[in-house]
Structure formats: structure tokens, C-alpha cells
Amino acid sequence: MQLSLAAAAACVALSLLAIVGAEDPYKIFTWNVTYGNIYPLGVRQQGILINGQFPGPDIHCVTNDNIIINVFNSLDEPFLISMNGIQNRRNSFEDGVFGTTCPIPPGKNFTFILQVKDQIGSFYYFPSLAFHKAAGGFGGIRILSRPRIPVPFPDPAGDYTVLIGDWYKSNHTALKAILGRGRKLHNPDGILINGRGPNGYALSVEQGKTYRLRISNVGLQNSLNFRIQNHKMKLVEVEGTHTMQTTYSSLDVHVGQSYSVLITADQPAQDYYIVVSSRFTSPILTTTGVLHYSNSAGKVSGPPPGGPTTQVDWSLNQARSIRTNLTASGPRPNPQGSYHYGLINTTKTIRLANSAGQVNGEQRYAVNSVSFIAPDTPMKLADYFKIGGVFRVGSISDHPTGGGMYLDTAVLGADYRAFVEIVFENKENIVQSWHLNGYQFFVVGMDGGQWSAASRKGYNLHDAIARSTVQVYPRAWTAIYVALDNVGMWNIRSEFWARQYLGQQLYLRVFTASTSLRDEYPIPKNALLCGRAAGRHTRPF
């Protein structure tokens, strides 16, 4: 198998050189996706491995690199990988969710051709189908700045991916079966740090040196608090945006979110606890790892440091303190603050309210009363080939209707180059987390209670953080501004994964009548075609 994978990767590399273009470098990866036994919480489970690894290998790249990933599906069921926070500019065909991309059949392979156009920062990839995320298949993504672009802090002595997340002892197939019977899942059993349970993860540092930690919450539902005993963390980047360099003793990382912090090994030489604990849960889940000084004189001592537990105001105030560094460069040399989003008039307001309920006696979750059901054909392919009856633009309202929950393939229409306001409204007693594929957006406001037009008076129109995943606190709202400059079919989803699986998602169709390559790339020549698109042709070159 290894020889065949290597040979196939070589063939793919040669065939795609003309596609990726000579102006930007390319990086080629070959991934074999398999099942394997893992023991993260001390019991044997069926995990999803990439090249035998759990978590999967990191993707290291530089702004504008072309990324070619040849994925071999050695599972016994269809599989897809999506890149959380990677914008896939003009190319939603490659987005790796069912609404845009056909699954890779068992025993087959597919080559993703992506470009990290005008992006920097910390992200992750994950399996998007069949509750596979509960079995692994995720890994870190780091996009470094191009050499001539200044970065607002010195090069660290080390740069580490730290994937945190809640975890179940049950196999993903058992969890999926529970959801398939219309039942809720019980609370997760524990928390992992880079795929390891309590005291299983260690990070070695040298005294006096500074390190970058890229922390992503790849879990299934819980907000998590990250802290290191006796050490401060300086926040420097959030999902591709350089931040004001605020120092924190602990950091809330909501599900689906990514943060970069700098830590300095400036304490007496010994070992210290790394602690991750759940927020807004009862009971509180906690796990520990170790920060190990290379000249350590002793093991960890004392109890692990405590952190916030159920305090919403603490988390809200921290979220409001995270601001964009206006003078720092982003992926381009110009300062991040040169885009004055607060001076642009919005062309449309979209209000999205999450809810829980039952349809036909089974548990479902919805947005604006619509619980999403996947059609037999990815909507992006149906749109491209003009296949009727797959979806309908406007099948979900752009504001809460207050009506009963129902099933539909929820697609909301929007115009290319519109500048829209989206308000996420959460009347439930949970913390929500929302992700928008294909975009960064500005988090202009969040507060408790009911949103109204008067809420705009409190918006941050100067230095709001730009990111791709945002939390909404219980019985509260969060407002974002987003410039719809990326044509395609883009997933808006709850990162609370059981909710996403049972319908709490929709697609935003950003449309233009133009057929110019400046606006959208053509369908990939190697695109998989399934459902009602099967048997059709992509393009000759």
C-alpha cells in the first residue's frame, strides 16, 4: 500500500503542476485515512488515523502557498476533510463539506487543490461527515507570513500546535447511532490535549526562552479554559488576525476557535501543570499536562491551578478585550487597520436564532425554525450543473419566524460584494459557537438579552477582532459584519457537533451572474460527482 500511495502521489504532483501556477510555491501531502485502536481515556476505542497518527499531521505552509492533499479513504464508509478557517477563495467546490463536495468513497482517493490566499495564522482541519470528528481525523494548520512581511513579535524559540477538546469513550458509530434514533448525547467523558488524556501530554521548554502555542478547540461541544501554572500568556493572533498583545492568566477557547499565545519560561526550573477545564458545565471536566523545563529540578507540585467555571460575565469581558492590532501587518504589508469596516454601510441584516425541539418525535436542532437535511446531491454541484429540485434559495428566512420547527435544505441567498450584518441570537441556556466557511468577519458586538436596532449603539466600529468562529453566550446575542467578497456556497454551522449533525446549520449562497475567473474558479477537473450530478462532465482542462 505504501508503494502505491507514493506512486500515486508522484503522479498527482506531476499532473497538477500546471494547475497550481508557477508564481506561488506548492506543498504536496499524501494522507492515508484508516481506523486504528486508540486509548486516550484509558479504554480502547476505534479512532480515525491519518498516516497512522492521532491527531493527524500538521499542515505547515506560507501565505499564498498552493496546498495539494491526496486523501486515500481506507475506511469502510465515505469520508471528507474540511479546513476550519481556510477561506478557499473563489473555490467553494473544495470546501470539504457535503453541501459543496462529494464524499470520498471507501477504497478511493481524492486530491484537494487549495490555496491559502491572503491568509496567515492558526487553524485546524477535521472530518466533516458521519460524526467522524468524535473519532479523530483532525490536525493543526499553521500559515506563516511571507519573509518580507513584518510580524509584530520576535521569532519564538519554538512553535507548537495544542489541540484541546472534550471526548467520549464511546466509538463514533455508537454516538451516531444514538443521534440517529433521535436522542440526545450524554455529556462528554473527558478532555484531551493533543489526543492524550490526563497527564499524558508534556511540552518541554528551556528556561528564559519564549514559545508560541497555537491552541485550537477541536472538541464536540464544550467551551474550554486553558491555563499554565504560574505562567502568563500573551495573546498575539486569533484565526488569522494579529491582536493587541494582552496578557492573560487563563483563556477561554470556545469550540471551533483557535488562538496563538506566547509564553515565556521565566519561572524557577521545575515542572508546571498545563490545565484545561470545561466552562459552563456541571460537573466540571478537567485534564492536566506538564510544562517541563529542560533543567527541571522537580516534578509538578501542589494542586493544579483553578480557573473560571460558570461565570458568564468573566468570559464576556475577556472576549470584549480581544481586539485587532491596527498597526500590525496581516498577510499583506499594509496595516490591518487600513480596512475601515466601521465606515461601510451595511446592505442587509440577517438574524439567525438557534433552537432545539422535536420533529416527528425525534430530537432536532434548527436555525430560524429550519432543521437542515442534506439532499442527495451537494448543492454547489446542483447549482453548477443547474440541476433542479435539490435546493431552493430562500428556503430559510433571514430572520426568526417564531414558527414550529421543520425539515428542509436550508439555503440563504446573498449578493456578491454585499456588506452584511449577521446577528446570532441565542435564547437557550447554553453557550453557542458559530462558524462561517469562506470568510473572516468582524465581531462588532455581543451582549445579554434581546438584540434590537438600538444595540448597534454599542458596536465596536474601530478595532473589532476579525475571525471565523464566534461564541454566543446564554440568552444573549453576537453581531458580526462581513464583506461577501467570496463567491460560492458557504456553510454556516453550530460547532456544537451533535447540534450541527441534527440540523443546526445552513448554507449561504453568495452569487454573481459573472462567469469571470476573477470572481470564481471553474469546477475542478478532478471533482467527484455524486447523486444527480453523477455521470456528468467537469471540464476538459
Side-chain angles (χ1 to χ4, degrees), residues 18-30:
I19 297 175
V20 298
E23 67 278 8
D24 293 308
Y26 60 92
K27 290 186 168 64
I28 299 173
F29 302 87
T30 301

Side-chain angles (χ1 to χ4, degrees), residues 358-381:
Q358 291 199 337
V359 177
N360 300 325
E362 296 186 346
Q363 182 66 47
R364 297 292 300 186
Y365 301 94
V367 185
N368 290 357
S369 301
V370 183
S371 186
F372 182 87
I373 51 172
D376 59 8
T377 307
M379 292 91 77
K380 182 60 184 172
L381 295 183

Side-chain angles (χ1 to χ4, degrees), residues 18 57 62 78 86 91 120 124 126 140 172 178 210-211 220 295 306 321 323 335 352 371 377 392 396 430 433 479 524:
V62 176
I86 302 304
N91 192 17
I120 58 168
Y124 67 92
F126 68 98
H172 80 280
I178 293 171
T210 297
Y211 299 84
L220 299 171
N295 58 340
S321 74
R323 305 292 182 98
L352 301 176
S371 186
T377 307
R392 179 176 58 86
I396 180 172
I430 62 165
S433 191

Side-chain angles (χ1 to χ4, degrees), residues 58 142 160-164 193-194 201 203 212-218 226 259 274 276:
D58 276 4
R142 66 183 66 169
Y160 299 102
T161 295
V162 181
L163 304 177
I164 59 176
I193 306 176
N194 279 357
Y201 173 72
L203 176 62
R212 181 175 185 171
L213 307 184
R214 299 173 186 263
I215 307 163
S216 294
N217 185 340
V218 299
F226 183 91
Y259 291 87
I274 299 172
V276 183

Side-chain angles (χ1 to χ4, degrees), residues 7-24:
C11 292
V12 167
L14 291 172
S15 66
L16 294 175
L17 288 179
I19 297 175
V20 298
E23 67 278 8
D24 293 308

